[in-house]
Amino acid sequence: MATPPPPPQEEGRLRYMSGGLGNSLSSEAVAGSLPRGQNSPLLCPLGLYAEQLSGTPFTAPRARNLRTWLYRIKPSVTHEPFHPRHPPHRRLIGEFDRTTTLATPTQLRWRPTDLVPREEAPLDFVDGLYTVCGAGSSFLRHGYAIHMYPIPLTCVYAANKSMDGCAFCNADGDFLIVPQQGRLLITTECGKLLVPPGEIVVIPQGFRFAVDLPDGPSRGYVSEIFGTHFQLPDLGPIGANGLASARDFLSPTAWFEQDHRPGYTIVQKYGGELFTATQDFSPFNVVAWHGNYVPYKVYDLSKFCPFNTVLFDHADPSINTVLTAPTDKPGVALLDFVIFPPRWLVAENTFRPPYYHRNCMSEFMGLIYGIYEAKADGFLPGGASLHSCMTPHGPDTKTYEATISRSDANEPSRLSGTLAFMFESSLIPRVCQWALDSPSRDLDYYQCWIGLKSHFAHDNGQATSKEEPADEDNTK
């Protein structure tokens, strides 16, 4: 049932509406610009055009049906034909097969590098976006991609200039953007979003947006999903509350510009390739909108309510899932977004860092700030690692030895000053050649486990096995 929108929240001069994930919202930059009682009247208020943006098929179940009505000064169809972008961006991939990528079960890690200064090699968000790995196909509407800037490999994106006179549109899927350094000011057709490190933002498939850099050079991580959308995970036995709260997801309020902009360029990503079209107006000319398919900044991650074991053993990382993109198999995700935030560790007689693991899922990790609890060295903010399906991984030697030798191992301790995350997928990723060849790849990553020694203790130093005789009295 439609409900009145909540009061907007302030952030500087920007205003947001809470509950931006899955709820039906409405906003108007000019009072009276939203039609009343219908979506597409013969004449819209103020002479605006009505345009629907559908994020799901018309016949999708109502609970998963996503669409928004945009009321704009000129419709988005008013542009010149699309043409392949020149020069082409050859490091964006939408089809993951043997012709574009490679398979490797090796544990991979990349170091961060310094950002490129603003005056050198200007890169906006589009040109600074490079694919590192992924699976599936944007054309077949199933799969995902993780984008990075691999030469040198710093992060998922690296940019040192704002987008001026152009907007980006991803026809392939949803972007989930995780800034690591530098704020992003993102203008969308629904309004503006300011996203600092420690927050994340989702730009749904098909929305046009532009990225400005108020702090100068910026870098971060991006995941892209094909054929589905992010949603909150089910809570199951946790109950009705906990993890990410729907009210903390913020959507923009309507904002528009109506200046004449000859030569304005739309850059569209389609099948992993870039195309451009020109028009004489800004695409950010939406005066009002209503619907449940909108960009949202997901959100201040410090508001995440983590759960943890309170007696013994280490909980599975799925307990820290912020968002999930489901498949048609219950409990199996195309992509989960999981965080490892500050929290209390209280388990008794327990190895508290993450356990050693081989997983049917594949795990791509990044670090926003601090030190990750399972890696004492080498995994740095702005860097990344990839542990693919059934590839062993776990704490490094220094972390293991320090943990088992602690005299206060049973005392409660607070893990603070850190924020790591994981993109976890049921699909096996293929890796781009330029990511494997990157000078920032840590070729000695495997060495962090080589020092693990045997602590096996036995009377004669050998493992033995013998069958126990049956207890005759108990078999009668």
Side-chain angles (χ1 to χ4, degrees), residues 48-59:
L48 298 172
Y49 288 87
E51 179 178 297
Q52 183 176 202
L53 180 55
S54 296
T56 55
F58 297 138
T59 53

Side-chain angles (χ1 to χ4, degrees), residues 156-219:
V156 172
Y157 66 85
N160 61 2
K161 74 169 185 175
S162 299
M163 295 174 64
D164 185 27
C166 69
F168 190 31
C169 177
N170 183 7
D172 293 339
D174 291 8
F175 276 151
L176 189 160
I177 305 172
V178 186
Q180 189 274 320
Q181 183 171 328
R183 293 175 299 166
L184 303 180
L185 179 59
I186 303 177
T187 303
T188 77
E189 292 171 276
C190 289
K192 290 176 175 282
L193 296 161
L194 183 65
V195 190
E199 298 186 1
I200 57 175
V201 63
V202 169
I203 308 294
Q205 177 190 10
F207 272 94
R208 294 175 175 182
F209 66 98
V211 178
D212 293 316
L213 308 176
D215 301 329
S218 177
R219 68 185 180 195

Side-chain angles (χ1 to χ4, degrees), residues 23 46 55 83 106 110 139 160 185 190 228 239 255 330 333 336 379 471:
N23 292 310
L46 309 183
H83 299 284
T106 298
W110 297 271
F139 281 103
N160 61 2
L185 179 59
C190 289
T228 187
W255 178 91
D336 283 334
F379 187 49
D471 188 335

Side-chain angles (χ1 to χ4, degrees), residues 17-31:
M17 293 180 288
S18 66
L21 177 57
N23 292 310
S24 185
L25 303 174
S26 63
S27 181
E28 52 184 17
V30 178

